[in-house]
Amino acid sequence: MAVPPQTSRPASWPLSWMGSWHRAFVFERRTRVLAEMLAAQIPQRASVLDIGCGDGAIGSLIVHLRPDISIHGVEFLVRPECKIECRPFDGTSLPFPDGAFDVCLFVDVLHHTQDPAILLREASRVSRSFVLLKDHLDENILDHLTLRFMDWVGNRPYGVVLTYNYQRRSKWSEYFAKCGLAEIRWTARVPLYPPPVSFIAGRGLHFVALLRKT
């Protein structure tokens, strides 16, 4: 889900141009920064399930940075060009037994769901120890409008259905507790964009959290 699949209908030229611009100026830096941040928090020799892995770019780079770990992906629509081993799933139930992986990973997936607790609970079930999560923070109307615009720019050219289901910090904590997860580390310093874009699209709108099963 990090980069949504293209639809069979060709995008109009403004959307096509916007998609090309986003990939050239945002996607590559985002992939690198997130892979570095996430790789640093995964335990040694861990097995990782990347839920909603998209094209597998982030997972592939994590393995390049951390050759001691293994990563498998699941995706609602598996892409032939996916850079990691990936299997399909229905978007709600993970096709693995309890405790199948050391770590379950989400990268900008849960705000695309109607109820983040459904997949979080499944990740807690499938993980032996940790859930590693990157998503958004929505604390006020300015945050919400900025996130909606960012989501639209990054995903609309690919025909992705957008739910705009962003959460406050307090609501994320509620979800974690409900799903049997405790925060080990949390940071809202996620330098996805260079200045001056970071003053608008950064400013604490993104977070990375390492969660442990309780």
Side-chain angles (χ1 to χ4, degrees), residues 26 29-31 33-34 37 108 134 190-194 206:
V26 176
R29 177 186 171 106
R30 173 184 179 276
T31 299
V33 169
L34 288 179
M37 290 190 69
D108 285 335
K134 189 277 169 185
V190 186
L192 297 181
Y193 312 103
H206 310 266

Side-chain angles (χ1 to χ4, degrees), residues 124-189:
S124 180
R125 177 186 68 79
V126 169
S127 169
R128 281 191 285 272
S129 302
F130 299 102
V131 173
L132 184 54
L133 170 64
K134 189 277 169 185
D135 217 287
H136 294 311
L137 284 174
D138 179 4
E139 299 290 354
N140 54 58
I141 187 62
L142 178 60
D143 290 352
H144 189 79
L145 292 175
T146 303
L147 289 169
R148 285 179 71 100
F149 177 73
M150 290 165 52
D151 237 356
W152 191 85
V153 168
N155 293 311
R156 179 61 181 85
Y158 303 94
V160 169
V161 176
L162 301 173
T163 61
Y164 304 118
N165 192 18
Y166 317 116
Q167 309 296 330
R168 295 176 179 271
R169 176 75 165 87
S170 58
K171 189 63 176 179
W172 280 117
S173 296
E174 289 180 22
Y175 282 129
F176 301 159
K178 182 189 298 186
C179 298
L181 298 166
E183 294 178 26
I184 303 301
R185 300 190 192 98
W186 171 290
T187 181
R189 294 184 178 181

Side-chain angles (χ1 to χ4, degrees), residues 7-67:
T7 59
S8 57
R9 172 184 286 182
S12 62
W13 74 262
L15 290 177
S16 178
W17 175 87
M18 187 169 63
S20 298
W21 177 89
H22 182 268
R23 176 167 288 274
F25 294 98
V26 176
F27 177 71
E28 290 188 6
R29 177 186 171 106
R30 173 184 179 276
T31 299
R32 175 180 56 80
V33 169
L34 288 179
E36 291 172 352
M37 290 190 69
L38 297 169
Q41 302 207 49
I42 297 173
Q44 289 187 345
R45 296 180 294 279
S47 59
V48 180
L49 178 64
D50 187 351
I51 303 169
C53 63
D55 65 358
I58 291 176
S60 176
L61 186 51
I62 289 174
V63 171
H64 176 75
L65 295 170
R66 290 285 309 281

Side-chain angles (χ1 to χ4, degrees), residues 74-87:
V74 289
E75 184 54 83
F76 185 72
L77 292 173
V78 176
R79 304 183 209 182
E81 73 279 12
C82 188
K83 296 177 175 63
I84 62 174
E85 182 180 335
C86 181
R87 62 187 291 184

